[in-house]
Amino acid sequence: MPRQMTIGTLSRETDTKVETIRFYEKSGLLPAPDRTEGNYRTYEPSHLRRLSFIRRARGLGFPLEAIRTLLNLSDDRSRSCEAVDRIAKDHLVQVEQKLADLNALRAELDRMISLCSCGTVADCRIIDTLLPGPAGSPSRATENPR
């Protein structure tokens, strides 16, 4: 007989909150477990493997719908992995875009910080940069550089 676990044990073994496990069940990512006569959930090693897969994919930033597709694809082990590869490549493109956005954010923060002469707040270029200018115009810092 396979090892059965409570939701608490599954939670600890996968470092997943109980509420998150229930969410994955409700959303269909994790199959509903059997229940005891007392109506307690009982999980099997297959739940542990599947939840570990979900957690790893979430850790890599895959959205839930991509994870759902990956799980469905993984259920048919004889099928080509072309669709899996496409999902991973699409996700990589999204990650690269996020990195580009973060690099642009870093550059803007560096620019703002470099403008600061560490005087008073009244003369602070960071504050000026963050304040909106007149409607439809750039911030005060870019309008009136000091």
Side-chain angles (χ1 to χ4, degrees):
M1 180 172 187
R3 172 180 167 232
Q4 295 191 333
M5 296 167 270
T6 64
I7 196 167
T9 302
L10 185 63
S11 171
R12 280 187 302 279
E13 290 197 19
T14 59
D15 194 27
T16 307
K17 293 180 181 179
V18 168
E19 298 81 21
T20 303
I21 295 171
R22 290 183 184 136
F23 169 79
Y24 289 151
E25 287 174 22
K26 287 177 189 168
S27 66
L29 291 173
L30 194 63
D34 291 333
R35 300 256 182 177
T36 65
E37 287 181 21
N39 206 29
Y40 290 103
R41 292 171 168 90
T42 57
Y43 297 88
E44 300 192 11
S46 60
H47 289 99
L48 177 64
R49 282 190 306 278
R50 193 167 181 100
L51 182 56
S52 296
F53 180 101
I54 294 167
R55 295 284 294 165
R56 177 75 173 130
R58 290 297 290 156
L60 291 170
F62 282 96
L64 290 178
E65 281 311 307
I67 294 171
R68 182 182 316 282
T69 303
L70 290 169
L71 285 167
N72 289 335
L73 291 167
S74 73
D75 288 339
D76 183 0
R77 308 295 284 175
S78 63
R79 134 181 229 161
S80 165
C81 69
E82 183 180 345
V84 173
D85 190 55
R86 186 173 3 90
I87 291 168
K89 285 179 178 178
D90 289 347
H91 184 57
L92 179 59
V93 167
Q94 293 170 359
V95 167
E96 288 170 343
Q97 180 59 54
K98 287 178 186 177
L99 287 170
D101 292 345
L102 286 171
N103 283 325
L105 176 61
R106 178 194 306 141
E108 177 61 13
L109 288 169
D110 281 343
R111 186 190 69 75
M112 286 172 44
I113 292 166
S114 72
L115 295 174
C116 186
S117 62
C118 295
T120 64
V121 171
D123 297 320
C124 182
R125 302 298 288 159
I126 295 171
I127 296 294
D128 283 348
T129 301
L130 296 173
L131 287 172
S137 69
S139 72
R140 293 182 354 195
T142 55
E143 283 180 0
N144 304 313
R146 295 182 186 172

